[in-house]
Amino acid sequence: MGPPAERPGVPAGKVNTISEALQLAGDLGLAPVVTIGHPAGERTSRQVANPIRLSGTPAGYRLPPPELGEHPHARFDSAARAAAPTRK
């Protein structure tokens, strides 16, 4: 008997590369990539779109990811606040 994934009754399929997956989603009309503009208008960022589609509350894309070193302390500040004991 072959590998478990090749046995009868085991659901399995090809695993796509990222570019293959994006191409397939585009071929199916799913718009897999969104372009997000920077608030200052100086750059744009291409991102993978949220795959969940809700007609009443569609996904919103507010900001692109920060540039390298743009917010060096924000990540640590929010982690420190989350880990700090709460005062009552």
Side-chain angles (χ1 to χ4, degrees):
M1 197 178 282
E6 294 178 4
R7 294 181 185 155
V10 176
K14 178 184 180 218
V15 175
N16 291 323
T17 64
I18 292 172
S19 27
E20 289 171 336
L22 293 174
Q23 180 66 45
L24 176 61
D27 292 347
L28 295 172
L30 299 178
V33 176
V34 295
T35 300
I36 303 169
H38 190 274
E42 54 201 43
R43 64 182 168 89
T44 60
S45 175
R46 288 174 35 95
Q47 302 290 311
V48 174
N50 188 332
I52 300 170
R53 306 282 192 240
L54 302 171
S55 60
T57 54
Y61 304 96
R62 295 182 297 258
L63 296 171
E67 292 288 330
L68 185 61
E70 185 175 356
H71 303 293
H73 301 293
R75 172 178 64 170
F76 300 112
D77 292 346
S78 64
R81 281 192 301 274
T86 57
R87 296 181 184 181
K88 295 182 180 178

